[in-house]
């Protein structure tokens, strides 16, 4: 089994900061891309940022310059530092990781259950 658990969400005023963490645990051989996605009520789930196993990053235009994704490969963790938060950043934030469980199996995507971020104006 593989599990992804997010933490760090909460309520913050506009202009504030939060740091999200996501820990992958269980039967893991290696982890490829990791990323953060968000879903506001009544809207689709959208990409926020991704990071490859060698540290290459990709960001949604709406968060460039404000959010920073990073990872700790030794700990199987990914982080999202969110600065200058805006009310429109309010959403459930979900961690995704592409994980290979065994050398002879294909990698597949796993999702966490999400953590809620609320930005008040």
């Amino acid at each position: 089994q593989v599990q992804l658990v997010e933490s760090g969400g909460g309520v913050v005023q506009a202009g504030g900061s939060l740091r999200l963490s996501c820990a992958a645990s269980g039967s893991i051989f290696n982890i490829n891309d990791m990323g953060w996605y968000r879903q506001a009520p009544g809207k689709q789930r959208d990409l926020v940022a991704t990071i490859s196993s060698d540290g290459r990053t990709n960001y949604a235009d709406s968060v460039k310059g404000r959010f920073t994704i990073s990872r700790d490969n030794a700990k199987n963790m990914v982080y999202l530092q969110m600065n200058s938060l805006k009310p429109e950043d309010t959403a459930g934030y979900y961690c995704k990781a592409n994980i290979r469980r065994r050398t002879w199996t294909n990698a597949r995507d796993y999702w966490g259950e999400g953590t809620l971020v609320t930005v008040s104006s």
Side-chain angles (χ1 to χ4, degrees):
Q1 287 281 28
V2 170
Q3 191 175 20
L4 298 182
V5 178
E6 301 98 334
S7 61
V11 180
V12 64
Q13 287 191 331
S17 298
L18 282 174
R19 187 186 192 224
L20 306 183
S21 299
C22 173
S25 62
S27 177
I28 297 172
F29 175 69
N30 73 312
I31 303 178
N32 299 312
D33 289 359
M34 304 183 82
W36 290 94
Y37 294 72
R38 66 186 180 187
Q39 186 169 18
K43 296 190 176 182
Q44 67 181 20
R45 189 172 296 185
D46 292 326
L47 178 147
V48 175
T50 61
I51 184 167
S52 67
S53 57
D54 59 357
R56 287 172 288 121
T57 58
N58 178 55
Y59 294 93
D61 288 343
S62 59
V63 307
K64 283 181 181 176
R66 299 188 298 123
F67 291 9
T68 302
I69 189 171
S70 61
R71 66 190 282 175
D72 184 332
N73 291 331
K75 296 181 179 179
N76 290 339
M77 294 196 68
V78 63
Y79 307 96
L80 187 68
Q81 178 67 43
M82 305 186 295
N83 298 328
S84 302
L85 282 160
K86 304 175 181 179
E88 52 263 44
D89 294 318
T90 295
Y93 282 72
Y94 298 85
C95 171
K96 186 177 84 168
N98 186 260
I99 296 174
R100 183 186 304 275
R101 294 185 59 193
R102 296 283 187 270
T103 57
W104 60 87
T105 61
N106 293 327
R108 54 155 282 199
D109 290 337
Y110 292 83
W111 288 89
E113 294 191 350
T115 185
L116 184 61
V117 171
T118 302
V119 184
S120 61
S121 57

